[in-house]
């Protein structure tokens, strides 16, 4: 029964993980590492395994303990602190498609917005950021409407009542991917109020991802953006 | 054991109800009848009992079966169908205070909005209605901003994601009472999504009442409005 | 106080509704009518109002009582029963973009899938349907992988545990819009189990709309598909 | 990609925040800082930005780590520990309107009650406090009824079953803003039981804010109170 | 496989039910029939089976279709319509213990209150009824305090926010059994708000039964009351 | 666009359904028809399609409208009313394995218990039924312990608090599959209370299926029982 | 504005608390201190205030930081560690009534069971403890049936599925007060599964208190037990 | 009143626990210790008590603080770190039945999968492990189908949307026990999304245990596997 030796082996080769090397072929980007719940050694091991057959690695939700070991052990690694991302880009992916807008309602939504923005960039997309434009001061959104309408996809990040995607989508004819954040308290229920607001948007065409899932929104935006002639 | 005779007596005198005649003195308006779950005979009996000491009666959530018996049995009664209200105003209450705005997001929110508007009116307030101004077309709200800012209190009715109160409150310095409606489907959860949106509003100073509770919002608005020099 | 006359007026002109005629300019398609909670007369009145300035009208969630009055009163109207849609296409919108795939897990998911498919078509898109390919027999999905990979966006409809979008998205590099349906019982909670399954998909890039919201998924797919060179 | 420099810049100028300087004009009080989820440097930077155009700043939910940096960096700052508030009043707002009552059910509700009371005061209102008057000893409430009836608005703070607003509102003809607190355990669900109790109050005219949202209740009370001739 | 014959046999002898004849010995009262979900024939058959060894039968939640067949088929049967109870008392149980108070907040709570009151009476207890004494008019409760304090157990029935048991229990040194009712709408969630209010009562010693479970409260009150020297 | 013709075709051949004929090979039993949400014509068409390659068909949750059309159109069909099942057994499956016990807590749990029992039988298993043995009279369970211990798998069906599987499993060394039923009211939440009781069973080894899912429990029991030498 | 001085004053005299000295007269026992959320100084101050007019003080949910200061500052204080209770009994209350049984399902339920047991004792009752008798081994309960049947009230404490009160109540004719505990994980939801199990008990007459509320159960048992001739 | 001495005694003999020594006879394995919420001394004491009459002891959910004291105090004890299990096997149980497959979706599901695997092994079963085979790369599952089909029972562990058991069960004719894990974030709700996915599986015959309950799944698998001729 080999369970006792399991963690030790982990630091050397990811026997605990069965990396899906075929993913680049199927989905256009190699497997991404979700750091939450993994040891630094496990993250490093999986990253090296991926890099044995790919030029790019993305590791999201990096916590303090992952940063140093990763930067030391993985050559060419870079830390994006505001996005909580560790990335390796041995060969930058060529820029494809149009521009993805990342719009955020408040200062506290920034980590999620940055996770989305950096992910789109590492996956080969162009990003324009529009931060702190919540619906409590509607003139701020109206002021950027022109710029937003020129993007090919919008990622709209908001906590609390999550009304921003409704207002933005009502102004444009571009796909809006809404990201609820866990920002708020009491009946915000860790992002559920924002999520429900977005799922029940009176502006048609808004689609939604899991709470705080900036990464997922970026994947969706990339799959859209890549198909567009730049 | 007198339980068997209970319903029969009900049609004659409200032995089953202990009407709070002191309420006008304490709260400025007599007890109001919530028709839901009461037989037409019970509603009529309570209305007569209230009218034995007051000039005004308000009965909310009147269903089809209540209308005829009430209009026949209670002298001076009037039916407000869009508001689902039966009312008697033997002596109109003198108009006091400023104007209460009733703002509604969509066509389906009208029954709740009208319940609020008619209640304010019967309780002696002036009302201005602003209907079908949802956030999917934000210009409709901006267009009425001037008028809204002259009211002393706003009742804002919305279903689905319930974002309208946030947008309205962000534009004004007047108290906004938000009424979530059960309009929507799926994750609207019968008005819960709208309620959560309103409780988590990023515009400060929004207060909220129960789902579909146009009557409650009207009471609150009346208690505010009455204090204001007209 | 004009509330009593409100319903009567409704049959003539939508005074209760403030149609957003500017929407075609902003969003590329005129306002859509959600029939649920509206009388046949209201639906007809709004449709006529929209047609006074547009060539296309879409009315979703049409119930039995809406069909006849609509077909009689609105010239050129057509009923799509499997989709519960009433539509008028005085001038067909020119086909733009690639093909949108509509994939459904089971027979009971068909009404939602058809709502999505017909909406995409009326909005000017091409659709390919792939029905009854649930994950209990995984070979059915693998068999259509080639065809799916040639579409520009996928709408994947599923009830119960909602696993189909995860499996489909894992095979392709195209955006997947997942639609949970209220099909199921007990802990399906009217589609909540499927919704949660989709929001927590282990395949990155899946975005989600409200339960049974085939229309919303179609809007999102159209906004994506329209941008693609056909 | 400037994400790495983002936190450093934050300490100097709030590039991450787009302060809504127009808010005093629109809403009668400058933007308020919600400290939760912001670094001390961010709070200080936003405060200074606001003070560049306003005389008053209010920062709520100040945690231990915010106090010192704020008191040092912001001239004229004052800490209200029981209210968890940091405030600057370079020029006291003139007292307007009547008196706002702040009523609290138990000792543990004090932080929320004080947040409400201090906010009303900084926003230019007069406050009277009535603490520890829960419904388990109803005589305590009856004893202050006279005083309460002379206020222009009441903020009623309660945890557990949240019954206090119902009892208080039933005695008076003034608007009652109910604040549920997260005080309690088990099925209190962090304030949800109190919130539901307040939303379902059998005393008409009670409006509700988010759990623990003393600040929001104070804003609503201020918007009411300001309109009243003092 | 005898399933097809099952329903037919049911009308003759309760083969589908295994009546617990020992229950009178163990618990002091024979098995009680919950009519909901049982056919009239099943209810009659179980009643007869119980009466083959006991003198009393109680059937709760009797619906319209149960009444006639029961009154015809079961000798000595009596219908208590307000309580939705069918009962047979061939030999009245001797009155034991003190008096059980049944207190109800509103008119709509009567069916549940009567279910409780009639059950206590059939089980051999004395009952005093106090109806329509909700907390919106607190003087009504204070007026009956004397009488309530002389009872050995109180059943307090309330819907909406369920605050009545807290107020009543705070005035007395007798056990209070709280019964939440499904009266209310929106966030009343079919009695859940009242239930939570009661479970979180700030008055110690309140115990709670399931929503609308007047019968269960009566059983608990009987088990208490029986032990008291009358 | 062929949607209009879809329902008509459905009555002839299941073009809307893609029957998984390979299922017998993979799983040992052909695809089963869940009647809920399907028209009688659809159910008949799918049944015939299945019978074109298999000797047995099982259709669960048959409603009144399905019975006659099915019995007429499908040769050899039989209706099991207590189980709400329509079945065709052209060739009885040979009996394999041991005996499956079906244990039910109350009379109202019978439809779910019978669905389980008949399903096991049609799938080739032997069944022993033990009904109306709820935990309120624990002696009834102890009395059948011997018999239960000789079965190879137990299906235990219970509503309300769902405690029966815990008690049964604590007495035996055989696998217990618990089926929560929607029997109950108020906080029973349509079977959720029973489900949670079973998932949190203090007797180890209890596994659970969806609420009212007697069919699913029977499948699991059959997969277990089939492997056992009879 | 005296908020800053509030905490300091707290250590001297409970100005923040308005002790309900009348409670002994009304309810038979002085106000009880719930330590959770109070500083040690606040707890001591309230205790002294109560002792200025009463001989007994009970403080529940005492945390580590409360123990020492309390034992030092309050003369005659005693710590009951297993019950998390601090108590002062200057004059023992005379023993009244019969015996209260405290029954617990598992080792982890002990803190709640002991809170109940010690509270009953301090309030003047006799207690008999029956611990670790969960339903996974039903013989343990049957073995104590005789003893339980001689008690005047039973407090039954259980976590996980909360089935113990159903089984116990089914064996006896005495009132059972069920206390759900937060023991468990996953779908135990911090005691909600146990609570629902108890509210939906198939044994009539079980009443329930809040999760982990051993104190509340003890109050209810005391109010019952006190009335019984010992 | 002996409560003060309770914890001290605990270290010597489990007076607080009433070990069910009869369990081996009834259920085939002695009582198992759930370490969560127990002190190291309590765990050791119970283990010794069990070993006084049995040869095997299993303690699950061992936390860091339990390991050392247990390994020192209990002779022959062994720690399985990946499974969080402490076990003593004085006499290995003879291997019975076939092979149990333990299948896990992702790296983060390993602790739960190992808890299941080690439990089956200690209880006398053979185990085969299949890890990191999530549905995002469906080919990984198809590749192990042959091997899985030879096992007598499958334990399938998955977090997030919990789709793996549906896909696996759809390929085989063996019983699948699904274990949802708390892996995920946001709307994963600590494993609830995975649990619901599994309860609503479209593949018939999947049964489910509590979130993270690898131990319970192992017990069920053992009860199945033991009956099979090896």
């Amino acid at each position: 029964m080999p369970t006792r030796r399991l963690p030790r082996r982990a630091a050397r080769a990811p026997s605990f993980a069965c990396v899906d090397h075929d993913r680049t072929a199927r989905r256009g980007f190699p497997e991404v590492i979700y750091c939450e719940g993994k040891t630094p050694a496990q993250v490093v091991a999986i990253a090296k395994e991926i890099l044995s057959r790919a030029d790019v690695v993305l590791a999201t939700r990096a916590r303090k303990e992952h940063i140093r070991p990763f930067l030391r052990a993985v050559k060419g690694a870079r830390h994006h602190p505001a996005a909580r991302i560790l990335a390796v880009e041995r060969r930058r992916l060529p820029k494809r498609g149009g521009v993805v807008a990342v719009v955020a309602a408040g200062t506290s939504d920034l980590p999620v917005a940055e996770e989305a923005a950096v992910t789109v960039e590492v996956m080969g997309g162009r990003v324009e950021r529009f931060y702190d434009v919540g619906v409590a001061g509607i003139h701020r959104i109206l002021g950027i409407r022109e710029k937003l309408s020129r993007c090919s996809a919008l990622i709209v990040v908001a906590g609390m009542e999550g009304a921003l995607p409704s207002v933005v989508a009502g102004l444009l004819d571009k796909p809006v991917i809404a990201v609820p954040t866990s920002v708020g308290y009491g009946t915000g229920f860790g992002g559920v109020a924002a999520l429900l607001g977005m799922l029940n948007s009176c502006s048609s065409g808004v689609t939604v991802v899991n709470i705080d899932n900036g990464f997922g929104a970026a994947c969706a935006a990339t799959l859209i953006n890549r198909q567009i002639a730049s």
Side-chain angles (χ1 to χ4, degrees), chain A:
Chain A
M1 231 226 31
T3 55
R4 194 189 290 244
R5 265 165 297 142
L6 214 148
R8 234 184 312 133
R9 280 202 326 216
R12 276 182 278 132
S15 74
F16 53 88
C18 161
V19 169
D20 181 7
H21 286 299
D22 180 51
R23 198 164 292 184
T24 310
R26 284 199 327 275
R27 309 216 57 204
F29 196 83
E31 207 174 327
V32 171
I33 308 167
Y34 179 69
C35 296
E36 203 69 61
K38 297 202 180 71
T39 64
Q42 286 178 318
V43 172
V44 165
I46 302 177
K48 288 189 168 173
E49 177 69 16
I50 294 170
L51 286 168
S52 72
R53 307 220 202 152
D55 286 334
V56 189
V57 153
L58 190 68
T60 63
R61 303 289 169 94
R63 281 197 315 265
K64 224 179 169 180
E65 68 261 34
H66 297 107
I67 316 292
R68 283 229 172 163
F70 196 93
L71 294 177
R72 273 186 201 160
V74 184
K75 208 178 121 184
R78 185 174 172 196
H79 180 217
H80 301 259
R84 297 169 301 175
I85 278 178
L86 289 161
V88 185
E89 298 175 90
R90 294 205 177 145
R91 194 180 52 82
R92 284 252 166 139
L93 292 181
K95 294 293 171 199
R96 292 167 61 185
V99 172
V100 173
V102 179
V103 186
T107 306
S108 325
D109 301 319
L110 281 190
V112 176
E114 277 299 310
E115 183 181 285
V118 173
T119 296
V120 171
E121 289 171 335
V122 173
M123 287 185 165
R126 290 178 195 85
V127 169
E128 211 161 327
R129 289 160 171 85
F130 305 89
Y131 290 171
D132 203 17
V133 292
V135 299
I138 208 80
H139 57 287
R140 294 178 293 192
I141 302 160
L142 298 175
I144 57 172
R145 181 180 163 177
E146 261 312 291
K147 286 184 189 168
L148 293 177
S149 71
R150 283 193 294 268
C151 296
S152 57
L154 294 93
I155 294 170
V156 183
V157 183
M160 305 186 80
E161 83 269 60
L164 187 56
S166 288
V167 172
V168 168
L171 298 169
L172 305 165
D173 63 345
K174 293 297 166 50
V176 167
I177 299 159
V179 191
T181 66
S182 52
V183 168
Y185 59 93
T187 56
F189 296 128
V192 169
L195 172 78
L196 294 182
M198 292 163 176
L199 286 170
N200 290 281
S201 175
C202 58
S203 296
S204 56
V206 172
T207 62
V208 187
V209 296
N210 197 358
I211 296 164
D212 290 336
N213 191 6
F215 165 70
C219 292
T222 298
L223 293 174
I224 295 167
N225 190 40
R226 252 192 219 154
Q227 301 186 70
I228 291 162
S230 49

